Amino acid sequence: MAPARLRTHQAHGARVYDYILGGKDNYDVDREVGDASLRAWPALSTHMREARTFMHRSARYLAAEKGMRQFLDIGTGIPTSPNLHEVVQEIAPETRVVYCDNDPIVLSHARALMKGSREGRTSYLEADMRDPEKILNSRELLETLDLTQPTALTVISVVHFILDEDEALRVVKRLVDVLPSGSWVALTIATDEFAPEALAKVAQNYADHGEPLKWRTKAEAERFFDGLELEEPGVVQMHKWRRDPAEIAHIADSDIAMYGAVARKP
């Protein structure tokens, strides 16, 4: 794969995430960002593991409790088992999943993502969520999902890479708008409200290596759910969303830099 497409001279959020979680699909620049960020905020690894746990928990909830049998996952990241399709197809083997990411490395792992159940189907498309029309008009999506039927949209650990507030709200709204009534959205939004000094250093470190990101307040996070019906407990730090209180007690609020919520489209 051409190095230019991989942007090996710049960090990429998915590859930094892969490095922090012990993966091997990353480059020197990603490891530099990861190491410097861990020095600034040692909780980064805890935070990233909790982001993945939120994805598992929310997807399982939507499949088991809300009967979702179609998922559109934006910002998939480098595959790490269990992937979303493994979680939901364990509950309902007929479930269909479309993955979307803008990192060419993820495309190279697409075969792993597409090894779903025989009854269901998984597919992968390379696209940037800033171009929702490309996603919505893609062959991969149109041949896998029926958007006249309720669908779960999962957007985990990705909107903080869209710096402009209006653009971030626009692209999420566009993806939600095409979904029929009875669909669901699981979304996380990065925040620095619980460890501002350390996270200012993390953000500067990412920006210095070509991958700027944006923290948002709780009020700004709640705007992404305008027009939707929030499921209890609403917009909360992601480790607190429908989690065993005994497990929450072992995680400090200052170790989590992301809000999470699940909402229904009326």
Side-chain angles (χ1 to χ4, degrees):
M1 190 168 295
R5 292 191 65 227
L6 289 174
R7 296 192 312 162
T8 57
H9 63 293
Q10 291 181 317
H12 191 287
R15 300 196 306 255
V16 177
Y17 189 94
D18 175 74
Y19 171 63
I20 296 294
L21 294 183
K24 298 179 180 178
D25 292 294
N26 45 74
Y27 294 92
D28 286 345
V29 65
D30 307 305
R31 295 187 282 273
E32 289 174 14
V33 172
D35 289 339
S37 297
L38 283 168
R39 288 192 295 271
W41 189 47
L44 180 59
S45 57
T46 297
H47 164 82
M48 287 184 169
R49 285 194 298 270
E50 285 301 314
R52 188 155 184 82
T53 299
F54 174 85
M55 182 274 285
H56 293 155
R57 196 163 62 252
S58 58
R60 187 176 295 110
Y61 177 78
L62 292 175
E65 303 295 328
K66 300 303 177 182
M68 290 294 98
R69 299 296 180 260
Q70 299 192 124
F71 285 77
L72 172 57
D73 182 59
I74 306 294
T76 298
I78 296 168
T80 304
S81 187
N83 295 293
L84 186 146
H85 73 277
E86 294 171 302
V87 172
V88 298
Q89 289 178 352
E90 182 180 7
I91 295 165
E94 71 274 20
T95 302
R96 296 184 166 216
V97 178
V98 171
Y99 289 109
C100 175
D101 201 284
N102 71 343
D103 183 0
I105 279 186
V106 182
L107 178 62
S108 72
H109 290 277
R111 288 184 180 179
L113 286 172
M114 290 189 286
K115 288 181 180 177
S117 65
R118 288 180 296 177
E119 300 90 338
R121 183 172 178 181
T122 61
S123 61
Y124 173 78
L125 67 104
E126 185 181 348
D128 193 308
M129 75 174 294
R130 296 175 183 84
D131 186 4
E133 301 308 320
K134 180 178 180 179
I135 297 171
L136 297 172
N137 293 313
S138 69
R139 174 183 56 81
E140 293 87 350
L141 185 147
L142 295 174
E143 291 181 355
T144 306
L145 305 182
D146 177 1
L147 293 185
T148 67
Q149 299 299 313
T151 301
L153 171 67
T154 56
V155 186
I156 310 298
S157 300
V158 65
V159 295
H160 50 282
F161 295 116
I162 303 179
L163 307 186
D164 183 83
E165 194 67 14
D166 290 338
E167 182 183 19
L169 291 167
R170 176 186 62 81
V171 297
V172 171
K173 184 177 187 301
R174 176 61 182 133
L175 292 168
V176 172
D177 281 349
V178 302
L179 304 179
S181 174
S183 294
W184 289 81
V185 178
L187 180 68
T188 62
I189 305 97
T191 184
D192 65 347
E193 292 187 310
F194 300 92
E197 292 184 9
L199 290 168
K201 296 177 182 177
V202 171
Q204 186 61 58
N205 182 44
Y206 269 72
D208 288 345
H209 290 80
E211 186 75 303
L213 52 83
K214 179 179 175 62
W215 309 120
R216 292 180 166 90
T217 65
K218 185 175 183 182
E220 290 171 327
E222 289 171 339
R223 291 186 64 194
F224 286 93
F225 298 95
D226 286 350
L228 301 175
E229 298 171 347
L230 282 165
E231 191 78 346
E232 291 293 334
V235 178
V236 295
Q237 277 185 287
M238 62 183 177
H239 67 299
K240 297 180 179 179
W241 192 86
R242 292 185 172 265
R243 187 73 169 277
D244 185 331
E247 295 178 348
I248 296 172
H250 295 291
I251 303 171
D253 286 357
S254 58
D255 289 351
I256 303 299
M258 201 163 275
Y259 288 111
V262 172
R264 179 182 180 275
K265 182 175 180 179

